Amino acid sequence: MRITVKAPAKINLSLDILAKREDGLHEISTVLQTVSLCDHVTVEEIPEQEIIIECSRENIPCGEGNLCHKAARAFFERFGISCGVRIIIDKKIPAAAGLAGGSADAAAALMALSMLCDRGNGAELSDIAASIGADVPFCLNGGTALAVGTGTRMRRLHPMPQCDVTIIKPPCDISTAEAYSLFDSESGKAVGKTFDMIMALHSSSVRGIASAAFNGFEQVIKHEDIGRAKDILLQNGALCAVMSGSGSSVFGIFGRKDQSIRAAEQAKNQGMEAFAVHPVDHGCTVTEQDF
Ligand code: ATP
């Protein structure tokens, strides 16, 4: 049996960084949104009792370091199953980009394994997802959500209205750990307009969403590549240009599709990865099943 699941990337429409807790983790308040840029994760049963990972992109760990490997191990342990699987990742979401590519793949692997083994309801899968990473439960269901605490307490929000979004991944990579340590050394708190964002979503105002877009990491991450990507977005008519997650991707929200496409093309011409996308109201979805 073989199952393929589509795994959408996320952007952070807003991201406030709040107090640091005694255990070293930061409290955050963030509005998450899934978009049409996605990986495809295929899981198939194999006779060998192994978890084999294959990925279409270089520089992604294919052993135990891959989040799909962690997801499969956690799934099998939780249900006391021993089963061999090959997990094939067709990767389109840039890595270390603040787009939760790894988390989306892990969520997709869990969904496929649940169907393959006929185990795990929604609550059980969310529970396993949370043990892998803060973004993984969101990636399962997707849509528009507010996440607070360390990013694991979540509430669904009014869906983002249809609009055009361009995501640019500049050449520099920033790991989440690196971003937080920079934040700790230079800043205490970074609070934007999350309340305004929730209100703008509620009234389906694309302009309101663009003007409330905020990312607290921008206070400390000031790379010239990121500035260049933002300039491309704004020069092409973006209503905002904001970093996603801990970077280095930036996204722009557009009122016109042609402008969004032009911004993506210009960024590609300058050697950056870029995608003209739109918001989606779902997380992982099964696209193929072969019995
Ligand atoms: P987030 O926004 O959740 O912090 P991110 O988008 O910044 O995540 P990811 O794409 O999830 O970052 O990748 C972070 C690191 O995780 C990568 O550098 C890579 O080494 C590792 N990794 C493990 N599994 C995967 C995977 N399936 N896809 C991408 N990266 C993975």
Side-chain angles (χ1 to χ4, degrees):
M1 192 173 172
R2 184 184 160 99
I3 291 171
T4 301
V5 175
K6 189 160 88 167
K10 62 87 181 148
I11 54 173
N12 298 79
L13 292 176
S14 70
L15 172 56
D16 296 347
I17 308 169
L18 310 169
K20 191 173 176 179
R21 309 190 319 183
E22 277 181 7
D23 61 6
L25 295 175
H26 281 271
E27 296 266 331
I28 60 167
S29 168
T30 181
V31 176
L32 300 154
Q33 174 65 52
T34 38
V35 293
S36 54
L37 169 65
C38 53
D39 289 346
H40 283 85
V41 177
T42 300
V43 181
E44 60 187 22
E45 245 178 310
I46 54 169
E48 305 81 28
Q49 292 293 302
E50 282 176 74
I51 301 168
I52 298 173
I53 310 279
E54 291 171 10
C55 184
S56 62
R57 247 196 210 228
E58 284 174 12
N59 304 326
I60 303 285
C62 276
E64 294 185 0
N66 196 290
L67 290 183
C68 288
H69 196 286
K70 291 192 179 148
R73 269 226 321 258
F75 181 90
F76 293 145
E77 266 168 32
R78 169 73 177 252
F79 297 109
I81 307 171
S82 116
C83 170
V85 285
R86 176 179 289 113
I87 303 178
I88 305 154
I89 307 167
D90 179 11
K91 196 128 198 76
K92 297 284 183 299
I93 308 172
L99 301 172
S103 302
D105 295 348
L110 286 178
M111 185 173 276
L113 286 166
S114 168
M115 290 188 69
L116 203 71
C117 305
D118 198 17
R119 298 284 166 90
N121 57 32
E124 287 167 331
L125 289 189
S126 285
D127 217 41
I128 305 170
S131 75
I132 302 161
D135 284 337
V136 188
F138 169 75
C139 290
L140 272 175
N141 301 311
T144 314
L146 172 71
V148 296
T150 53
T152 49
R153 291 207 314 273
M154 234 165 299
R155 177 158 75 83
R156 262 191 113 78
L157 295 174
H158 196 275
M160 186 174 182
Q162 268 315 309
C163 60
D164 292 288
V165 177
T166 298
I167 298 172
I168 303 179
K169 163 70 177 64
C172 58
D173 284 345
I174 300 166
S175 78
T176 305
E178 198 185 324
Y180 273 114
S181 83
L182 205 58
F183 189 81
D184 285 341
S185 62
E186 290 188 24
S187 196
K189 257 189 193 180
V191 179
K193 295 177 273 186
T194 300
F195 181 75
D196 294 2
M197 178 61 75
I198 294 169
M199 290 296 114
L201 284 164
H202 203 75
S203 54
S204 296
S205 161
V206 172
R207 280 184 183 275
I209 293 166
S211 78
F214 174 83
N215 187 318
F217 281 117
E218 291 191 35
Q219 231 162 261
V220 293
I221 299 174
K222 297 185 191 297
H223 200 287
E224 87 181 78
D225 287 345
I226 295 175
R228 219 153 45 90
K230 282 181 156 194
D231 288 345
I232 294 173
L233 294 169
L234 294 171
Q235 282 159 10
N236 281 286
L239 303 169
C240 67
V242 176
M243 207 167 76
S244 179
S246 54
S248 60
S249 291
V250 293
F251 65 92
I253 298 177
F254 289 82
R256 281 174 40 189
K257 195 178 191 68
D258 60 324
Q259 293 179 329
S260 160
I261 292 171
R262 206 173 54 218
E265 275 165 6
Q266 238 176 58
K268 283 187 213 162
N269 289 340
Q270 294 192 28
M272 304 189 202
E273 285 185 83
F275 310 88
V277 300
H278 54 85
V280 296
D281 63 359
H282 57 77
C284 292
T285 38
V286 176
T287 57
E288 269 180 63
Q289 295 179 55
D290 285 338
F291 294 94

